[in-house]
PDB file of all heavy atoms in Angstrom:
ATOM      1  N   ASN A 218      95.610 -34.680  39.506  1.00 96.00           N
ATOM      2  CA  ASN A 218      95.142 -35.403  40.691  1.00 96.00           C
ATOM      3  C   ASN A 218      95.180 -34.518  41.896  1.00 96.00           C
ATOM      4  O   ASN A 218      96.126 -33.620  42.075  1.00 96.00           O
ATOM      5  CB  ASN A 218      96.074 -36.600  41.038  1.00 96.00           C
ATOM      6  CG  ASN A 218      96.218 -37.565  39.845  1.00 96.00           C
ATOM      7  OD1 ASN A 218      95.582 -38.566  39.868  1.00 96.00           O
ATOM      8  ND2 ASN A 218      97.177 -37.321  38.857  1.00 96.00           N
ATOM      9  N   ILE A 219      94.202 -34.539  42.790  1.00 96.00           N
ATOM     10  CA  ILE A 219      94.183 -33.867  44.026  1.00 96.00           C
ATOM     11  C   ILE A 219      93.735 -34.795  45.034  1.00 96.00           C
ATOM     12  O   ILE A 219      92.816 -35.612  44.920  1.00 96.00           O
ATOM     13  CB  ILE A 219      93.341 -32.570  44.028  1.00 96.00           C
ATOM     14  CG1 ILE A 219      93.405 -31.793  45.315  1.00 96.00           C
ATOM     15  CG2 ILE A 219      91.867 -32.928  43.693  1.00 96.00           C
ATOM     16  CD1 ILE A 219      92.839 -30.435  45.192  1.00 96.00           C
ATOM     17  N   GLY A 220      94.391 -34.796  46.202  1.00 94.00           N
ATOM     18  CA  GLY A 220      94.192 -35.672  47.316  1.00 94.00           C
ATOM     19  C   GLY A 220      94.447 -35.139  48.676  1.00 94.00           C
ATOM     20  O   GLY A 220      95.187 -34.088  48.732  1.00 94.00           O
ATOM     21  N   GLN A 221      93.855 -35.730  49.701  1.00 93.00           N
ATOM     22  CA  GLN A 221      94.094 -35.168  51.112  1.00 93.00           C
ATOM     23  C   GLN A 221      94.511 -36.351  52.029  1.00 93.00           C
ATOM     24  O   GLN A 221      93.897 -37.443  51.914  1.00 93.00           O
ATOM     25  CB  GLN A 221      92.994 -34.419  51.554  1.00 93.00           C
ATOM     26  CG  GLN A 221      92.772 -33.091  50.958  1.00 93.00           C
ATOM     27  CD  GLN A 221      91.812 -32.185  51.617  1.00 93.00           C
ATOM     28  OE1 GLN A 221      91.023 -32.691  52.424  1.00 93.00           O
ATOM     29  NE2 GLN A 221      91.943 -30.857  51.292  1.00 93.00           N
ATOM     30  N   THR A 222      95.331 -36.077  52.986  1.00 92.00           N
ATOM     31  CA  THR A 222      95.637 -37.002  54.067  1.00 92.00           C
ATOM     32  C   THR A 222      95.607 -36.173  55.338  1.00 92.00           C
ATOM     33  O   THR A 222      96.124 -35.062  55.337  1.00 92.00           O
ATOM     34  CB  THR A 222      97.066 -37.542  53.848  1.00 92.00           C
ATOM     35  OG1 THR A 222      96.935 -38.562  52.792  1.00 92.00           O
ATOM     36  CG2 THR A 222      97.493 -38.367  55.013  1.00 92.00           C
ATOM     37  N   VAL A 223      95.125 -36.822  56.471  1.00 90.00           N
ATOM     38  CA  VAL A 223      95.265 -36.094  57.725  1.00 90.00           C
ATOM     39  C   VAL A 223      96.196 -36.952  58.586  1.00 90.00           C
ATOM     40  O   VAL A 223      95.859 -38.148  58.842  1.00 90.00           O
ATOM     41  CB  VAL A 223      93.803 -35.944  58.381  1.00 90.00           C
ATOM     42  CG1 VAL A 223      93.906 -35.367  59.781  1.00 90.00           C
ATOM     43  CG2 VAL A 223      92.898 -35.131  57.498  1.00 90.00           C
ATOM     44  N   ILE A 224      97.140 -36.274  59.216  1.00 89.00           N
ATOM     45  CA  ILE A 224      98.056 -36.953  60.159  1.00 89.00           C
ATOM     46  C   ILE A 224      97.619 -36.442  61.596  1.00 89.00           C
ATOM     47  O   ILE A 224      97.640 -35.310  61.912  1.00 89.00           O
ATOM     48  CB  ILE A 224      99.520 -36.489  59.940  1.00 89.00           C
ATOM     49  CG1 ILE A 224      99.930 -36.790  58.574  1.00 89.00           C
ATOM     50  CG2 ILE A 224     100.400 -37.259  61.033  1.00 89.00           C
ATOM     51  CD1 ILE A 224     101.287 -36.298  58.205  1.00 89.00           C
ATOM     52  N   ASN A 225      97.071 -37.463  62.425  1.00 87.00           N
ATOM     53  CA  ASN A 225      96.600 -37.040  63.676  1.00 87.00           C
ATOM     54  C   ASN A 225      97.811 -36.915  64.713  1.00 87.00           C
ATOM     55  O   ASN A 225      98.699 -37.626  64.619  1.00 87.00           O
ATOM     56  CB  ASN A 225      95.596 -38.254  64.240  1.00 87.00           C
ATOM     57  CG  ASN A 225      94.394 -38.186  63.402  1.00 87.00           C
ATOM     58  OD1 ASN A 225      93.724 -37.230  63.034  1.00 87.00           O
ATOM     59  ND2 ASN A 225      94.002 -39.486  63.065  1.00 87.00           N
ATOM     60  N   ASP A 226      97.574 -36.034  65.629  1.00 85.00           N
ATOM     61  CA  ASP A 226      98.527 -35.774  66.738  1.00 85.00           C
ATOM     62  C   ASP A 226      99.896 -35.454  66.193  1.00 85.00           C
ATOM     63  O   ASP A 226     100.962 -35.822  66.705  1.00 85.00           O
ATOM     64  CB  ASP A 226      98.598 -37.050  67.612  1.00 85.00           C
ATOM     65  CG  ASP A 226      97.383 -37.215  68.416  1.00 85.00           C
ATOM     66  OD1 ASP A 226      96.627 -36.260  68.797  1.00 85.00           O
ATOM     67  OD2 ASP A 226      96.984 -38.415  68.615  1.00 85.00           O
ATOM     68  N   TYR A 227      99.870 -34.692  65.156  1.00 86.00           N
ATOM     69  CA  TYR A 227     101.138 -34.146  64.567  1.00 86.00           C
ATOM     70  C   TYR A 227     100.939 -32.593  64.265  1.00 86.00           C
ATOM     71  O   TYR A 227      99.886 -32.287  63.702  1.00 86.00           O
ATOM     72  CB  TYR A 227     101.554 -34.808  63.303  1.00 86.00           C
ATOM     73  CG  TYR A 227     102.914 -34.571  62.698  1.00 86.00           C
ATOM     74  CD1 TYR A 227     103.936 -35.070  63.130  1.00 86.00           C
ATOM     75  CD2 TYR A 227     102.964 -33.379  61.914  1.00 86.00           C
ATOM     76  CE1 TYR A 227     105.263 -34.766  62.596  1.00 86.00           C
ATOM     77  CE2 TYR A 227     104.253 -32.957  61.350  1.00 86.00           C
ATOM     78  CZ  TYR A 227     105.332 -33.709  61.663  1.00 86.00           C
ATOM     79  OH  TYR A 227     106.576 -33.414  61.218  1.00 86.00           O
ATOM     80  N   PRO A 228     101.794 -31.710  64.681  1.00 84.00           N
ATOM     81  CA  PRO A 228     103.111 -31.970  65.308  1.00 84.00           C
ATOM     82  C   PRO A 228     103.224 -32.262  66.898  1.00 84.00           C
ATOM     83  O   PRO A 228     104.288 -32.346  67.363  1.00 84.00           O
ATOM     84  CB  PRO A 228     103.846 -30.637  64.948  1.00 84.00           C
ATOM     85  CG  PRO A 228     102.717 -29.660  65.020  1.00 84.00           C
ATOM     86  CD  PRO A 228     101.558 -30.252  64.424  1.00 84.00           C
ATOM     87  N   ALA A 229     102.067 -32.139  67.483  1.00 83.00           N
ATOM     88  CA  ALA A 229     101.997 -32.388  68.952  1.00 83.00           C
ATOM     89  C   ALA A 229     100.658 -33.010  69.162  1.00 83.00           C
ATOM     90  O   ALA A 229      99.784 -33.025  68.447  1.00 83.00           O
ATOM     91  CB  ALA A 229     102.183 -31.138  69.703  1.00 83.00           C
TER      92      ALA A 229
END
Side-chain angles (χ1 to χ4, degrees):
N218 302 260
I219 186 168
Q221 287 191 346
T222 289
V223 175
I224 306 176
N225 297 316
D226 295 325
Y227 184 93

